[in-house]
Amino acid sequence: MNLLEIANLHVSVGDRPILRGIDLEVPSGEMHVIMGPNGSGKSTLVQTLAGSEAYTVQQGQVRFAGENLLGLKPEERAHRGLFLAFQYPVEIPGLGNALFLRTIVNAVRKTRGLPEWDALDFLSRSRAELEQMGMKPELLERAVNQGFSGGEKKRNEILQLRLLEPRLALLDETDSGLDIDALRTVAQGIESMRDAHRSFLLVTHYQRLLDHLRPDRIHVLANGQIVQSGDADLARMLEKRGYDWLLQEQRA
Amino acid sequence: MSTESQNLESLIQRNYTAGFVTDIEQETFPPGLDETMIQRLSAIKQEPDFMKEWRLAAFRGWQRMKEPHWSIARYDPIDYQGFSYYSSPKSRSSVGSLEDIDPKLLETYEKLGIPLHERAALAGVAVDAVFDSVSVATTFRETLAKAGVVFCPISEAIRNYPELVRAYLGSVVPPGDNFFAALNSAVFTDGSFVYVPKGVRCPLELSTYFRINAAKTGQFERTLIIADEGATVSYLEGCTAPMRDENQLHAAVVELVALKDAEIRYATVQNWYPGNERGEGGIYNFVTKRGECRGDRSHISWVQVETGSAITWKYPSCVLRGDDSVGEFYSIAVARNYQQADTGTKMIHLGRRTRSTILSKGISAGHGHNAYRGLVRMGSTAQTAHNYTQCDSLLIGSAARADTFPVIEVENASARAEHEATTSKISADQLFYCRQRGLTEEEATGLIVNGFCRDVLLKLPLEFAVEAQKLLSVTLEGAVG
Ligand SMILES: Nc1ncnc2c1ncn2[C@@H]1O[C@H](COP(=O)(O)OP(=O)(O)OP(=O)(O)O)[C@@H](O)[C@H]1O
Ligand SMILES: [Mg+2]
C-alpha cells in the first residue's frame, strides 16, 4: 500500500513556478531518495508536504495514508505522523530544548491517544536517545538549536524523529555538515527506525549516507520535475557522472 | 504572508477570566475630591491627627501640580472629581477574623484562585486581601506574629504602630514626588504594611491581592515594607478587576526600606482588566514604586509580570544608598489590543561599589505599544559602581510597537554602565517549525514567548512562576483564525 501519493503537483513561490508536475508514490516501509542539482526544488517539495505557507500549491493532489494531505494544517499533518527534518533547523531563543521536546512529544502522543510522558518518562527516554545520537547531555538544557553547531542541529532533528516516531519521515539534507563519525551515528539513528510501517523520503546530494542505508528507490529532480527514477545503482552513477548527462538526455 | 499575520492577530484575543463582578452591598462615598472628603476618610479610618494633616498637606500640594504627559500613553483628560474615593463592603467585620467574613467575599477570592481559609491556602504564603478600599482579611497572622513579623493592613498599622509609620511613610516616596504619588498620599485607602525585625528571616512568603470591584471607584493603595538590619522578606502582589466599559483609576504607591544587610524581594503579577479589543474600558495604572537600600550590603529586587491595564505607567526603582548595596529589576510587560505600557526602572547609585541589574522583556501584540523607560544614574559618590541593563522587545503582528528610552548619567569616572537592547519578531519560520512538530499556532506562540521571557520567569518564586507562565499563555492565546 502507498503511504504517500503525489500526483501532478505544481507549486510556486509568489508568481514563480518551482515544481512543475511531480508524480511520486512511496509505499509503506520503503525508503525513497530525492537527488538533484541545487535549486531544483527538493526542499520546496518536502516543505510543501509539511504544509509551509511560504509555498503555494497551484495544481495536483497529495494523499497521505489515503487522506487529502493538502487540506490539513501543518500541525494536523504532524499529528497524523508526518515529520520533516529541516535542512536549516530553526533557533528559538530562550526556550529550553528539554521543555520543547517534551511539549512536542506530548502534543503528538495526545492526538494519537497515547499516555503523555511525565518529566521522569521524558528524562529516561530522552537520555537514552541522546546517547544513541552521540549528543552531549547539556544540549537538552540549552535553548532550542541556539548556538548549536551545524552537526548538533542535524542530530537534534534526528533526536526529534526518534522521539516522535512518525509514519513518514522527510529528511532534507540531514547528512550535510556532518563529520564522518556523525554521519555514521545519524545513519544508524535513521536505519534503526526503519520498519514495515514507516516510510522515508530522503533528500541528499551524496552517496555516502546511502551507503549506510540501502534505499529502495532513487528519484532525480531537475527543474521542478522528476526526470529519472531507479534503484540504488542510480545514486552511484550520479556520484560518478554528475547530472549533466541526465539533463542532456532529457533535452535530446 | 498575510494569512500568517491575520492568524497572529486573532491569537491575541483572549478571555479575561477575572472579569466578573461581586454583587455585594457597599458603602461608597459620592464622587468628588476635596478636603472635606479627605477628613471624612481619615475619620472613618480612625486615624491619628498626624495622618490627617499629612493627607491634607499632600492634597494641597497636589492641587498645585499638573498631570504628567511625557509617557507614550495617550488618553483623554481624567476627571478626578468623577471618581469615588472610598468604597467598602458593608458587611465587613473586624479584619482578621475569617470566621465572620462575608461568604460572598470568600467566594470572590476563591474564584480568583486565592483561598483565604488557612487550611486551603497556598502553603507557605500569607495573604492580605484588599477589596476596593479596604483590607478584608489577612491570613497566617499568628505564625507571623510568633516570628515578630508585622503584616497587616496599613490602616491598622497607622493605628497600632504609629511610630513606625511616622518614621518611614513618605521617606522613600515623599508626598510631593510626583502628581500621582501626591494624589495617593492624600486619598490612599488601604494596602499592606510589613515590618520584619532585626535578623529575622520572614518564615512565609507575604502576598497582597488587590481587587477592584465597585464601578467608578479609584483604588489608591499604599504599601510600606521595612526590613530591619539583617532581615529578609519576599513579597508578592496580584491584581484583578471586573470588565467595565469605563476606565478605572488605580494610583498606588509602594515604598520599600532595606536597612543594613537586609533583603527585600518584591514581585508583582499585574492582571488588571486591560480593556476590550477595541480599546474601550480597562484600568489606568499609574504607580510609583521605589525601594531604598538604606544600609550597607542591603539588597532590593523587583520582579514584575505586567499583562493587564489599559495604561501602565510604572517604574519600580532602587535608590542604592548603602555601600555595596544591590538593586535588581526584572520585568515582563505585555501590551496587546490597544494596551499602552510605559514601564521601566531607575537605578540611582549613591553608595560605593553598588551594583544593579536590569532585565526587561517587552511583548507587543495587536495594536499594543510597549515602551521601556530607564534611568541609570551613577552619582559622584558611587565609586566603582556597576550597572548592567538588557532590554529585549518581541513584536507579534505588524501593528505592534516597541520603544526603548534608556538614559545613563555618570558622575563618577570609576563607575560603569553597560546597556544592551534587542528587538525581535516571532518569525514565520519559528512558528512553522513548532507547528511541524505538532503544536498549534497558539501553543507555538505561547512556547516561543515563554522562551523569550525565561530569564525573568526564573526570578519569580516557583509557585508564582507557574502562575505567570499560565497567565502569559492565556494572555496571548485565544481563538485561532
Ligand atoms: N521562500 C522562497 N522564496 C523565494 N524563492 C524560493 C523560496 N524557496 C525556494 N525558492 C526558490 O525555489 C528554487 C528551488 O529551491 P529549493 O530550496 O527547493 O531547492 P533545493 O533543490 O532544495 O536546493 P539545494 O540543493 O540547494 O538545497 C530556488 O531557485 C529557490 O531560490
Ligand atoms: Mg534544499
Side-chain angles (χ1 to χ4, degrees), chain B residues 97-118:
Chain B
S97 54
L98 281 165
E99 307 317 314
D100 330 319
I101 194 173
D102 189 318
K104 275 192 183 155
L105 287 174
L106 282 182
E107 199 185 303
T108 299
Y109 286 92
E110 203 94 13
K111 253 175 149 172
L112 295 167
I114 327 278
L116 295 178
H117 275 301
E118 294 188 4

Side-chain angles (χ1 to χ4, degrees), chain A residues 1-5 62-70 72 76-83 166-169 199:
Chain A
M1 195 201 90
N2 287 328
L3 181 62
L4 181 70
E5 291 180 350
V62 179
R63 305 197 81 78
F64 179 61
E67 192 178 6
N68 170 21
L69 186 72
L70 299 178
L72 301 175
E76 293 169 335
R77 302 179 194 203
H79 297 160
R80 291 188 183 35
L82 183 144
F83 176 87
R167 297 178 72 186
L168 173 66
S199 307

Side-chain angles (χ1 to χ4, degrees), chain A residues 214-252:
Chain A
R214 294 183 319 278
D216 298 290
R217 297 287 290 168
I218 312 289
H219 309 277
V220 179
L221 187 63
N223 297 320
Q225 289 178 318
I226 291 181
V227 295
Q228 182 89 1
S229 296
D231 61 16
D233 290 337
L234 177 58
R236 277 187 275 276
M237 181 126 81
L238 292 169
E239 178 98 337
K240 269 196 223 109
R241 297 179 58 186
Y243 294 108
D244 274 357
W245 63 277
L246 244 183
L247 301 182
Q248 268 155 26
E249 232 170 59
Q250 272 273 300
R251 265 174 240 131

Side-chain angles (χ1 to χ4, degrees), chain A:
Chain A
M1 195 201 90
N2 287 328
L3 181 62
L4 181 70
E5 291 180 350
I6 304 174
N8 191 32
L9 184 66
H10 290 252
V11 173
S12 63
V13 172
D15 309 334
R16 193 177 144 206
I18 310 287
L19 299 182
R20 301 180 297 130
I22 302 280
D23 293 288
L24 180 67
E25 294 178 354
V26 182
S28 286
E30 289 198 1
M31 175 178 283
H32 286 211
V33 176
I34 308 261
M35 302 182 81
N38 293 133
S40 57
K42 303 181 297 294
S43 293
T44 302
L45 176 61
V46 291
Q47 291 265 335
T48 303
L49 292 177
S52 165
E53 289 172 16
Y55 303 91
T56 315
V57 174
Q58 301 291 356
Q59 262 194 76
Q61 266 132 42
V62 179
R63 305 197 81 78
F64 179 61
E67 192 178 6
N68 170 21
L69 186 72
L70 299 178
L72 301 175
K73 292 180 188 168
E75 59 269 33
E76 293 169 335
R77 302 179 194 203
H79 297 160
R80 291 188 183 35
L82 183 144
F83 176 87
L84 169 63
F86 285 64
Q87 183 174 1
Y88 305 107
V90 180
E91 301 189 358
I92 307 179
L95 176 59
N97 203 22
L99 174 63
F100 175 70
L101 294 173
R102 198 176 135 204
T103 309
I104 63 174
V105 166
N106 282 336
V108 165
R109 288 181 70 87
K110 208 156 85 184
T111 58
R112 293 187 192 151
L114 297 169
E116 295 184 34
W117 285 353
D118 64 22
L120 282 179
D121 298 332
F122 174 75
L123 217 63
S124 56
R125 268 303 294 271
S126 62
R127 285 229 179 104
E129 295 295 353
L130 214 65
E131 203 178 310
Q132 161 95 24
M133 293 312 299
M135 295 169 73
K136 284 177 272 174
E138 61 142 38
L139 291 179
L140 277 185
E141 307 316 319
R142 302 243 306 259
V144 180
N145 292 325
Q146 200 181 23
F148 284 26
S149 74
E152 285 168 342
K153 284 183 182 169
K154 295 301 174 77
R155 290 184 207 221
N156 201 37
E157 295 292 286
I158 300 305
L159 177 71
Q160 292 175 57
L161 162 73
R162 297 181 61 84
L163 291 171
L164 293 172
E165 308 183 56
R167 297 178 72 186
L168 173 66
L170 311 168
L171 309 181
D172 195 353
E173 294 199 29
T174 300
D175 53 341
S176 52
L178 293 180
D179 66 39
I180 298 158
D181 293 332
L183 187 75
R184 193 174 310 120
T185 315
V186 163
Q188 277 161 6
I190 297 169
E191 182 61 29
S192 64
M193 290 292 284
R194 287 185 76 170
D195 72 34
H197 306 289
R198 181 171 294 127
S199 307
F200 289 82
L201 187 60
L202 238 80
V203 174
T204 185
H205 287 293
Y206 305 107
Q207 173 61 31
R208 47 182 202 186
L209 177 66
L210 305 182
D211 286 338
H212 297 276
L213 292 177
R214 294 183 319 278
D216 298 290
R217 297 287 290 168
I218 312 289
H219 309 277
V220 179
L221 187 63
N223 297 320
Q225 289 178 318
I226 291 181
V227 295
Q228 182 89 1
S229 296
D231 61 16
D233 290 337
L234 177 58
R236 277 187 275 276
M237 181 126 81
L238 292 169
E239 178 98 337
K240 269 196 223 109
R241 297 179 58 186
Y243 294 108
D244 274 357
W245 63 277
L246 244 183
L247 301 182
Q248 268 155 26
E249 232 170 59
Q250 272 273 300
R251 265 174 240 131

